[in-house]
Amino acid sequence: MASATYPFTAIVGMDDMRLGLLLNAVSPAIGGVLVRGEKGTAKTTSVRSLAALLPEVVTVADCRFSCDPAAPDPTCPDGPHAGEEGDARPARMVELPVGASEDRLVGALDIERALGEGVKAFEPGLLAAAHRGVLYVDEVNLLGDHLVDSLLDAAATGVSSVEREGVSVRHASRFLLVGTMNPEEGELRPQLLDRFGLTVEVAASREPDERVEVVRRRLAFDEDPAAFAAKWAAEEETLRERIAAARALLPSVRLGDGALRRIAAVCAGFEVDGMRADIVTARTASALAAWADRTDVLTEDVRQAALLSLPHRRRRNPFDAPGLDEDKLDEILNGFEDEEPDTGPEPEPEGPDDDGPGDGGPGGGGPDGGGQQPPQDGPGPDSAPDVPQQRQEPETSGTESADAPESAPATGEAPEAPAVAASAPFRTRRLDVPGLGEGADGRRSRARTAHGRTTGSRRPRGALSRLHLAATVQAAAPHQRARGRSGPGLLVRRDDLREAVREGREGNLVLFVVDASGSMAARKRMSAVKGAVLSLLLDAYQRRDKIGMITFRGAGAEVALPPTSSVDAGAARLEKLPTGGRTPLAAGLLRAHEVLRVERLRDPSRRPLLVVVTDGRATGGPEPLQRAARAARLLAGEGTASVVVDCEQGPVRLGLAAELGRELRGPVVTLDELRADSISALVHTVRTTHTRRAA
């Protein structure tokens, strides 16, 4: 039969990714691997190829939860399985779609049968199907938080549980977790990043010869998968045997006190939070030793393990680029040189044999078999600078002079000033959209969500998953005599069931409209303005919002960042933002109107919040202030929730931002009031046309 799986050994390059996958195949206790990188870099292909290399698993016949007959799960819903025979089958690879529901992931409990018949009718989810196999999550950064939490809890504990109104089902769920993500589409929270054992960065090769080989092999596979797989069958079998041998050797690997001290020194030296990093690094170093057919963990194992397990754990906010200073790592490890155990002759390189075709086989093309730190200066908006470290004072230019007047709008075209660094970000007050939405789960505005406090009940829409027990009993109680109830228990029918209506918070689309004109450069304000926008970006990240950015200066406005979940992309655009020129405020507002119109068609359930950062001035063209007012009224007339951040400073103030706020029918806050810890800060809630009228 022709194989539909691309051979793992035929993958060109991608040494770190392949090594991370192989180490998890040797030691699933490492906790999985997160693959970060651009699209089209063989992430999915590599995961599917690895699953075909895993040893077969023996399961209890007809058990939906893949119980091992030698050690069956005592809590298995299909059990007990004592003394039952087993069947061998290949290890599964289960894919979790981005749009999957919670019931699809953890399983669904039939509440209707549980109440009416008193039985636990449970339909297993993907966590059950992945038990003793591979669970692959493409675009894991786009999953809902509640799905990621359930997924990582099961990965950490090896158990999945489903609870609905006191009815609970538990089953074993141990799997090799692989997640992939494109950082341009948004980051995972640091606490979720920490739950992945290893992380690797991937990027397409820039070497023409290597790219040619990738295309050549892919075309050959597509033309005749069976023949291509047969060509690589020997290498695949060799790698399969090596994984099995490393698994068998792993319990014999000695992780001595010297290796443990190195691991502890490295984790302490890089100031990673908690102890998970030490444990994962220790398990990875042991797996590296077993992969190299050794029973002693060497310094090089610790070094390579640190390069795979620590970079993502040093990321403390969304603007930090993941990475590890290799010079500092070597400096820490060099302090232990005298303690290296005498293991005899120099070991062979840890990579696979170099006699395979193409790029040298499965373990990597370099002498270390992968694990080298990926370059940190690759292209893309995710390569944002470490903003909190930027404390330097911006250079002074003509438009930034402290003596520049602010009492009147500029009448001429001011020269462009170079980009200035943002001031340190701060914690901002929450600005939310009024009313009750129904958007994606988040932490900003009130909304009807699947998770939150119960506020009422209703008849179920589709399958019942959130039972409102009191409302169900109240609906069924008047009919018990008519239904012939004669004993204990409650006779419940489908029409009696009520589901809970819950209220939580949603994530919004926060669209920034930033004034980058010459008037904003006066008195060196742009650094403070950028710091404020950066703080709002960080707040949007923490509240699970999508963000977009429009800037206006000179002759018009441009979309600096289309709506995205990547706040570090927004920080990168902001950092490079120059200032100078006239102030086409109307153009900025009209461009925002167009962006919001398109986004309503794409995602109608996500409510927008418009944040205009300006001093309210408008120049260029006839009647600039009047045109800006008309544009503001257009946005307000469509019910767009808005807030104006007033950047005007100095003893003489024109109050133009306040006028703009009245036209937008939203509140106006100063830079000082934006701070959550400001003495002058009050609770400001954005008002729309339905909650606040212009005076």
Side-chain angles (χ1 to χ4, degrees), residues 142-212:
L142 301 183
L143 280 180
D145 287 346
H146 60 290
L147 291 181
V148 175
D149 289 338
S150 298
L151 173 66
L152 295 180
D153 282 345
T157 63
V159 176
S160 174
S161 61
V162 182
E163 297 191 17
R164 297 286 190 273
E165 300 296 337
V167 182
S168 177
V169 175
R170 295 168 59 87
H171 63 83
S173 182
R174 293 182 295 275
F175 46 82
L176 194 165
L177 175 63
V178 182
T180 61
M181 60 175 284
N182 184 347
E184 294 182 7
E185 297 175 345
E187 285 285 358
L188 276 173
R189 289 176 285 161
Q191 59 268 41
L192 297 182
L193 281 172
D194 185 55
R195 301 293 288 273
F196 281 94
L198 310 179
T199 185
V200 294
E201 299 273 349
V202 296
S205 173
R206 300 299 185 258
E207 293 294 330
D209 290 344
E210 192 166 290
R211 296 175 73 97
V212 166

Side-chain angles (χ1 to χ4, degrees), residues 417-465:
V420 299
S423 62
F426 52 85
R427 189 169 64 90
T428 66
R429 297 201 326 272
R430 185 180 71 212
L431 302 171
D432 55 14
V433 180
L436 197 62
E438 294 185 351
D441 286 351
R443 296 184 177 182
R444 184 172 296 279
S445 305
R446 293 175 56 228
R448 295 186 182 93
T449 60
H451 303 83
R453 63 186 182 90
T454 300
T455 60
S457 64
R458 66 186 178 192
R459 292 183 182 274
R461 301 174 181 177
L464 178 66
S465 59

Side-chain angles (χ1 to χ4, degrees), residues 11 26 55 218 236 243 259 287 359 362-363 377 433 493 543 572 581 604 611 650:
I11 296 171
V26 172
R218 187 69 216 189
E236 291 283 284
I243 292 173
D359 60 328
D377 56 352
V433 180
R493 294 181 179 176
R543 300 190 188 282
V611 179

